Structures are given as C-alpha cells and as structure tokens.
Amino acid sequence: MGKSKGSIESEISKALTKWEKDFLGRGSVSVKTDILRDMIIVSLHGILTPAEYALCESKEGMLSVKRSRTSLVESGADDLKEMIFEITGEKVKSFHTDLSTRTGERIIVFKLFNDLEKQLTG
C-alpha cells in the first residue's frame, strides 16, 4: 500500500468531513480518526446545531435529535463503507455509530474483516 497509518487516518478524516458537508449539508467542527487493530474509530466534534442543542433540553427532543441524526448517517452508510474501501483497500464488516446530545460528539466505528493496523505496522 505504501501509505503510513497517520496519512490514512488523515485521509479518512478529510473524506468524512467532505461527505458530511455533501450529504448532510454541514460538517463537524473537528474530526479525529484512529486505526486500531481491525477497527477504524472516528470521533466527530461539534456536529449539533444550536437549535438541536435547544431541543435536547427535553427528553423527547433529545430522543428526536438522536433518532433523526442516526437515521441520516445510517442512510449514507453504504457511501461511507465505499469511502473506507477506496482509502484502505479493506472491506467493512460492520458499521456502528452513536451521538452524545450532551457534548455534540459522534463516534463512528468501522469494523473491518482484517487487521489494518497490523498491515500498516507489520
């Protein structure tokens, strides 16, 4: 492959930010990607709008924001899996995501079929 672990992590962060802007209409404030064994863990900060934070003050509003944001991201899961494959050459086995309505942070975990970290360091 020839790319370093750090350069792949950076490329995934940039691609995910572009996907957010193109698909969701706005991007997060910051994105950090880490490759750990057979997982790619992406942490996105600052994804909620001020209106969404206001909605999150009630339990019903918080659940509504979580549901709608999760549905939006999961509707683009195939695009995200393809993006990971194009950057790493590895197929995604499963995709997991959760959102903190308190901190405005989203975590995305791509579980791969193979240990990408070992390939990059071994």
Side-chain angles (χ1 to χ4, degrees):
M1 181 180 280
K3 295 188 226 174
S4 72
K5 181 179 166 191
S7 70
I8 291 172
E9 290 168 340
S10 175
E11 195 175 337
I12 290 169
S13 291
K14 285 187 186 112
L16 214 131
T17 299
K18 181 182 179 340
W19 174 85
E20 278 187 302
K21 287 183 179 156
D22 293 348
F23 190 74
L24 302 174
R26 65 184 297 271
S28 52
V29 173
S30 67
V31 180
K32 174 78 173 101
T33 301
D34 293 291
I35 296 169
L36 179 65
R37 296 185 302 274
D38 62 344
M39 294 176 286
I40 297 172
I41 303 161
V42 185
S43 176
L44 304 102
H45 298 271
I47 64 164
L48 295 180
T49 65
E52 287 171 320
Y53 277 117
L55 268 176
C56 289
E57 290 176 13
S58 73
K59 184 168 176 79
E60 300 81 33
M62 180 211 40
L63 292 172
S64 173
V65 168
K66 267 183 107 82
R67 251 192 319 273
S68 63
R69 281 297 190 129
T70 298
S71 294
L72 284 170
V73 170
E74 289 187 357
S75 70
D78 289 342
D79 294 339
L80 292 171
K81 291 175 184 177
E82 181 61 29
M83 177 194 77
I84 294 297
F85 178 73
E86 287 173 10
I87 294 171
T88 67
E90 289 293 324
K91 289 202 180 245
V92 175
K93 185 194 300 187
S94 60
F95 167 86
H96 310 273
T97 184
D98 195 20
L99 162 70
S100 167
T101 53
R102 191 176 54 76
T103 63
E105 177 182 52
R106 171 177 296 288
I107 299 291
I108 300 175
V109 178
F110 297 95
K111 188 92 162 108
L112 308 173
F113 283 97
N114 298 301
D115 187 332
L116 179 59
E117 186 179 34
K118 188 183 282 183
Q119 292 175 37
L120 296 171
T121 58

mmCIF file of all heavy atoms in Angstrom, residues 100-119:
data_model
loop_
_atom_site.group_PDB
_atom_site.id
_atom_site.type_symbol
_atom_site.label_atom_id
_atom_site.label_comp_id
_atom_site.label_asym_id
_atom_site.label_seq_id
_atom_site.Cartn_x
_atom_site.Cartn_y
_atom_site.Cartn_z
ATOM 1 N N SER A 100 -23.647 11.780 21.176
ATOM 2 C CA SER A 100 -23.901 12.336 22.505
ATOM 3 C C SER A 100 -24.607 13.671 22.312
ATOM 4 O O SER A 100 -24.026 14.606 21.743
ATOM 5 C CB SER A 100 -22.599 12.553 23.275
ATOM 6 O OG SER A 100 -22.861 13.352 24.414
ATOM 7 N N THR A 101 -25.843 13.755 22.779
ATOM 8 C CA THR A 101 -26.573 15.014 22.662
ATOM 9 C C THR A 101 -26.096 16.018 23.706
ATOM 10 O O THR A 101 -26.399 17.197 23.611
ATOM 11 C CB THR A 101 -28.086 14.776 22.815
ATOM 12 O OG1 THR A 101 -28.322 14.067 24.025
ATOM 13 C CG2 THR A 101 -28.625 13.989 21.638
ATOM 14 N N ARG A 102 -25.327 15.557 24.685
ATOM 15 C CA ARG A 102 -24.795 16.458 25.707
ATOM 16 C C ARG A 102 -23.544 17.186 25.207
ATOM 17 O O ARG A 102 -23.398 18.384 25.365
ATOM 18 C CB ARG A 102 -24.465 15.677 26.983
ATOM 19 C CG ARG A 102 -24.152 16.564 28.184
ATOM 20 C CD ARG A 102 -23.928 15.771 29.459
ATOM 21 N NE ARG A 102 -22.912 14.736 29.354
ATOM 22 C CZ ARG A 102 -21.596 14.973 29.343
ATOM 23 N NH1 ARG A 102 -21.137 16.185 29.441
ATOM 24 N NH2 ARG A 102 -20.743 13.965 29.246
ATOM 25 N N THR A 103 -22.635 16.427 24.541
ATOM 26 C CA THR A 103 -21.373 17.029 24.092
ATOM 27 C C THR A 103 -21.381 17.402 22.610
ATOM 28 O O THR A 103 -20.479 18.098 22.149
ATOM 29 C CB THR A 103 -20.195 16.054 24.318
ATOM 30 O OG1 THR A 103 -20.405 14.883 23.516
ATOM 31 C CG2 THR A 103 -20.068 15.675 25.776
ATOM 32 N N GLY A 104 -22.375 16.914 21.857
ATOM 33 C CA GLY A 104 -22.395 17.182 20.418
ATOM 34 C C GLY A 104 -21.324 16.409 19.679
ATOM 35 O O GLY A 104 -20.838 16.825 18.629
ATOM 36 N N GLU A 105 -20.966 15.248 20.207
ATOM 37 C CA GLU A 105 -19.918 14.417 19.617
ATOM 38 C C GLU A 105 -20.545 13.141 19.050
ATOM 39 O O GLU A 105 -21.449 12.568 19.651
ATOM 40 C CB GLU A 105 -18.908 14.051 20.710
ATOM 41 C CG GLU A 105 -17.810 13.123 20.259
ATOM 42 C CD GLU A 105 -16.879 12.759 21.398
ATOM 43 O OE1 GLU A 105 -17.370 12.315 22.454
ATOM 44 O OE2 GLU A 105 -15.675 12.918 21.236
ATOM 45 N N ARG A 106 -20.072 12.740 17.869
ATOM 46 C CA ARG A 106 -20.488 11.472 17.273
ATOM 47 C C ARG A 106 -19.271 10.572 17.169
ATOM 48 O O ARG A 106 -18.185 11.023 16.810
ATOM 49 C CB ARG A 106 -21.075 11.674 15.877
ATOM 50 C CG ARG A 106 -21.311 10.339 15.143
ATOM 51 C CD ARG A 106 -21.954 10.466 13.795
ATOM 52 N NE ARG A 106 -23.300 11.008 13.861
ATOM 53 C CZ ARG A 106 -24.367 10.351 14.326
ATOM 54 N NH1 ARG A 106 -24.241 9.125 14.783
ATOM 55 N NH2 ARG A 106 -25.544 10.915 14.343
ATOM 56 N N ILE A 107 -19.467 9.300 17.481
ATOM 57 C CA ILE A 107 -18.426 8.289 17.292
ATOM 58 C C ILE A 107 -18.916 7.344 16.197
ATOM 59 O O ILE A 107 -20.062 6.898 16.226
ATOM 60 C CB ILE A 107 -18.173 7.476 18.586
ATOM 61 C CG1 ILE A 107 -17.698 8.368 19.724
ATOM 62 C CG2 ILE A 107 -17.193 6.333 18.336
ATOM 63 C CD1 ILE A 107 -16.321 8.946 19.551
ATOM 64 N N ILE A 108 -18.050 7.066 15.241
ATOM 65 C CA ILE A 108 -18.350 6.077 14.199
ATOM 66 C C ILE A 108 -17.258 5.024 14.267
ATOM 67 O O ILE A 108 -16.066 5.357 14.317
ATOM 68 C CB ILE A 108 -18.378 6.701 12.791
ATOM 69 C CG1 ILE A 108 -19.453 7.788 12.701
ATOM 70 C CG2 ILE A 108 -18.608 5.623 11.730
ATOM 71 C CD1 ILE A 108 -19.471 8.535 11.376
ATOM 72 N N VAL A 109 -17.658 3.765 14.291
ATOM 73 C CA VAL A 109 -16.695 2.659 14.279
ATOM 74 C C VAL A 109 -16.962 1.817 13.041
ATOM 75 O O VAL A 109 -18.078 1.357 12.818
ATOM 76 C CB VAL A 109 -16.803 1.785 15.549
ATOM 77 C CG1 VAL A 109 -15.818 0.618 15.476
ATOM 78 C CG2 VAL A 109 -16.568 2.612 16.798
ATOM 79 N N PHE A 110 -15.919 1.658 12.229
ATOM 80 C CA PHE A 110 -15.963 0.756 11.083
ATOM 81 C C PHE A 110 -15.196 -0.493 11.490
ATOM 82 O O PHE A 110 -13.999 -0.416 11.781
ATOM 83 C CB PHE A 110 -15.288 1.377 9.856
ATOM 84 C CG PHE A 110 -15.953 2.626 9.359
ATOM 85 C CD1 PHE A 110 -15.507 3.879 9.768
ATOM 86 C CD2 PHE A 110 -17.018 2.557 8.479
ATOM 87 C CE1 PHE A 110 -16.106 5.042 9.306
ATOM 88 C CE2 PHE A 110 -17.628 3.714 8.010
ATOM 89 C CZ PHE A 110 -17.170 4.955 8.420
ATOM 90 N N LYS A 111 -15.856 -1.624 11.549
ATOM 91 C CA LYS A 111 -15.207 -2.906 11.879
ATOM 92 C C LYS A 111 -14.847 -3.550 10.546
ATOM 93 O O LYS A 111 -15.709 -3.730 9.680
ATOM 94 C CB LYS A 111 -16.189 -3.769 12.675
ATOM 95 C CG LYS A 111 -15.591 -5.019 13.232
ATOM 96 C CD LYS A 111 -15.076 -4.769 14.627
ATOM 97 C CE LYS A 111 -14.900 -6.100 15.336
ATOM 98 N NZ LYS A 111 -13.535 -6.469 15.515
ATOM 99 N N LEU A 112 -13.577 -3.894 10.383
ATOM 100 C CA LEU A 112 -13.076 -4.447 9.116
ATOM 101 C C LEU A 112 -12.953 -5.964 9.193
ATOM 102 O O LEU A 112 -12.956 -6.539 10.281
ATOM 103 C CB LEU A 112 -11.710 -3.834 8.797
ATOM 104 C CG LEU A 112 -11.635 -2.304 8.814
ATOM 105 C CD1 LEU A 112 -10.194 -1.842 8.639
ATOM 106 C CD2 LEU A 112 -12.538 -1.701 7.761
ATOM 107 N N PHE A 113 -12.806 -6.599 8.052
ATOM 108 C CA PHE A 113 -12.594 -8.045 8.018
ATOM 109 C C PHE A 113 -11.174 -8.419 8.440
ATOM 110 O O PHE A 113 -10.937 -9.508 8.933
ATOM 111 C CB PHE A 113 -12.882 -8.603 6.611
ATOM 112 C CG PHE A 113 -14.346 -8.726 6.302
ATOM 113 C CD1 PHE A 113 -15.009 -7.736 5.594
ATOM 114 C CD2 PHE A 113 -15.068 -9.836 6.728
ATOM 115 C CE1 PHE A 113 -16.362 -7.842 5.321
ATOM 116 C CE2 PHE A 113 -16.420 -9.959 6.456
ATOM 117 C CZ PHE A 113 -17.074 -8.963 5.752
ATOM 118 N N ASN A 114 -10.222 -7.491 8.227
ATOM 119 C CA ASN A 114 -8.809 -7.777 8.514
ATOM 120 C C ASN A 114 -8.221 -6.738 9.463
ATOM 121 O O ASN A 114 -8.750 -5.644 9.616
ATOM 122 C CB ASN A 114 -8.002 -7.778 7.215
ATOM 123 C CG ASN A 114 -8.469 -8.856 6.269
ATOM 124 O OD1 ASN A 114 -8.443 -10.035 6.599
ATOM 125 N ND2 ASN A 114 -8.935 -8.461 5.086
ATOM 126 N N ASP A 115 -7.083 -7.082 10.061
ATOM 127 C CA ASP A 115 -6.372 -6.202 10.979
ATOM 128 C C ASP A 115 -5.548 -5.197 10.166
ATOM 129 O O ASP A 115 -4.427 -5.487 9.752
ATOM 130 C CB ASP A 115 -5.476 -7.046 11.895
ATOM 131 C CG ASP A 115 -4.813 -6.235 12.991
ATOM 132 O OD1 ASP A 115 -4.581 -5.023 12.791
ATOM 133 O OD2 ASP A 115 -4.512 -6.820 14.044
ATOM 134 N N LEU A 116 -6.129 -4.023 9.932
ATOM 135 C CA LEU A 116 -5.465 -2.995 9.124
ATOM 136 C C LEU A 116 -4.234 -2.445 9.830
ATOM 137 O O LEU A 116 -3.204 -2.204 9.205
ATOM 138 C CB LEU A 116 -6.455 -1.872 8.808
ATOM 139 C CG LEU A 116 -5.927 -0.697 7.986
ATOM 140 C CD1 LEU A 116 -5.404 -1.163 6.625
ATOM 141 C CD2 LEU A 116 -7.012 0.363 7.807
ATOM 142 N N GLU A 117 -4.311 -2.280 11.149
ATOM 143 C CA GLU A 117 -3.165 -1.733 11.904
ATOM 144 C C GLU A 117 -1.938 -2.619 11.737
ATOM 145 O O GLU A 117 -0.824 -2.136 11.517
ATOM 146 C CB GLU A 117 -3.525 -1.580 13.383
ATOM 147 C CG GLU A 117 -2.433 -0.898 14.177
ATOM 148 C CD GLU A 117 -2.779 -0.704 15.645
ATOM 149 O OE1 GLU A 117 -3.464 -1.555 16.221
ATOM 150 O OE2 GLU A 117 -2.356 0.316 16.206
ATOM 151 N N LYS A 118 -2.127 -3.933 11.804
ATOM 152 C CA LYS A 118 -1.011 -4.870 11.656
ATOM 153 C C LYS A 118 -0.399 -4.763 10.250
ATOM 154 O O LYS A 118 0.825 -4.807 10.092
ATOM 155 C CB LYS A 118 -1.484 -6.302 11.915
ATOM 156 C CG LYS A 118 -0.338 -7.318 11.967
ATOM 157 C CD LYS A 118 -0.839 -8.726 12.156
ATOM 158 C CE LYS A 118 -1.220 -8.967 13.600
ATOM 159 N NZ LYS A 118 -1.642 -10.361 13.855
ATOM 160 N N GLN A 119 -1.239 -4.607 9.249
ATOM 161 C CA GLN A 119 -0.737 -4.465 7.874
ATOM 162 C C GLN A 119 0.109 -3.197 7.718
ATOM 163 O O GLN A 119 1.098 -3.194 6.986
ATOM 164 C CB GLN A 119 -1.904 -4.379 6.883
ATOM 165 C CG GLN A 119 -2.701 -5.648 6.733
ATOM 166 C CD GLN A 119 -3.899 -5.424 5.834
ATOM 167 O OE1 GLN A 119 -3.835 -4.693 4.873
ATOM 168 N NE2 GLN A 119 -5.008 -6.075 6.165
#
